[in-house]
Amino acid sequence: MIKSLDVETGEYWFHQDGSTTQTLAPEGQQRKLLYRFIQNWTVMIDGGAWVGGWARHWSWKFKKVIAIEIDPLNYECLVKNINGFTNITAINACLADRMNETRGFEGDKELKSCIRRTMPDGSVPTLTIDSLELPECGFIKLDLQGYDYFALKGAAETISRCKPVVMFEHDPSCYERYGVGRNDPADWLKSLGMTYKDCLRKDPIWGWNGS
C-alpha cells in the first residue's frame, strides 16, 4: 500500500494498512491563475487524476470532468472520492499517443504519488484523448510524470478543434526516461497554434491568441 499522508482536507487515499486518509484540493492561487485563461466551461480532462482532488474541485465549474488515472489503487480511491459527483467520469487507463496497447507503471512508496514512471509492459490499456471524440473541451490538465508529451500527441485533433487551455507537468528529468526532449511538448503545442501564457509552479499554461 501507499505510504500515508497527514489529514488535510478533501479526498481519500490508502494508508499502508488499507485504511484511508484525506489530502488537499487545489490551492486558491492555483485556481485564480487558471480562472484568468479558461473561458469554455464545458468539459475538462484531468489526466493523471490521482485520487480526484482536482476533479472534485473543478466539477463545480465544468459541466463534465473526465478523470483518467493509470494506477488501479489510485483509481479505486478516485472512484470512492467522486461518489455523488454526477458530472465526473473516471477511467482507469494510460493516456498516450496511440490506442490498443497496454502500459504498466513503476512506483515509489516514499512519495505521495505512487506513479513515477510509465512502463512499456503492463495490463493497463492506453487511451488517446482524441478517441473520446469530445464535442467540446475547455481545459486539459496533465500530470503524468514525464509522459505528458505522448498524451498531448494523442490529443492533437481535440486541441485543434476545441481550442482548450492546456496545462501539463514540465519536468525534463522525467522526459529523459522516454527519449523526450526538453522543448518537445512546447514545440508540439506551438505546431498546433497554441501560445505560452503563464506557469503554475513548474507547470506551463498554454492557450490561444486573443484569449
Side-chain angles (χ1 to χ4, degrees):
M1 294 295 180
I2 307 173
K3 185 177 176 65
S4 63
L5 286 177
D6 294 332
V7 174
E8 295 288 354
T9 183
E11 301 74 41
Y12 297 93
W13 67 291
F14 282 88
H15 283 289
Q16 290 175 320
D17 63 3
S19 62
T20 58
T21 188
Q22 294 178 316
T23 187
L24 287 169
E27 297 176 1
Q29 289 184 336
Q30 297 173 330
R31 297 194 297 265
K32 289 178 181 178
L33 180 59
L34 287 167
Y35 288 160
R36 289 171 46 197
F37 302 108
I38 299 172
Q39 298 179 0
N40 179 346
W41 298 98
T42 54
V43 178
M44 172 189 173
I45 298 290
D46 184 2
W50 191 31
V51 297
W54 278 65
R56 281 176 35 144
H57 167 76
W58 290 102
S59 71
W60 298 108
K61 293 289 291 184
F62 285 92
K63 292 180 180 178
K64 182 177 181 65
V65 176
I66 301 174
I68 303 163
E69 172 58 43
I70 186 176
D71 175 24
L73 182 57
N74 286 347
Y75 178 75
E76 183 180 346
C77 295
L78 168 63
V79 171
K80 175 183 176 69
N81 288 326
I82 65 172
N83 182 40
F85 288 75
T86 59
N87 63 332
I88 305 178
T89 298
I91 302 174
N92 183 201
C94 172
L95 281 177
D97 57 344
R98 62 191 71 184
M99 296 285 291
N100 302 317
E101 296 185 359
T102 56
R103 296 287 186 273
F105 55 87
E106 185 177 71
D108 185 341
K109 294 181 181 179
E110 296 303 315
L111 297 171
K112 66 180 181 179
S113 171
C114 72
I115 301 305
R116 308 318 299 170
R117 182 179 305 189
T118 299
M119 306 297 286
D121 299 319
S123 60
V124 181
T126 57
L127 177 75
T128 67
I129 291 174
D130 285 345
S131 72
L132 299 173
E133 298 182 338
L134 300 172
E136 295 182 279
C137 182
F139 181 36
I140 297 175
K141 166 256 177 188
L142 301 175
D143 186 358
L144 304 177
Q145 310 300 326
Y147 214 68
D148 310 66
Y149 175 62
F150 301 99
L152 291 171
K153 292 188 70 175
E157 192 277 332
T158 302
I159 292 173
S160 297
R161 176 172 49 82
C162 298
K163 293 184 166 41
V165 170
V166 173
M167 184 178 75
F168 63 93
E169 183 180 36
H170 179 66
D171 189 342
S173 65
C174 290
Y175 295 167
E176 293 174 1
R177 300 168 179 169
Y178 311 109
V180 175
R182 180 184 184 90
N183 297 320
D184 286 354
D187 290 343
W188 175 252
L189 292 178
K190 287 179 184 177
S191 75
L192 299 177
M194 299 197 75
T195 58
Y196 172 81
K197 294 295 186 179
D198 210 321
C199 191
L200 182 55
R201 295 178 178 171
K202 64 179 180 180
D203 301 339
I205 300 169
W206 286 71
W208 305 86
N209 288 331
S211 63

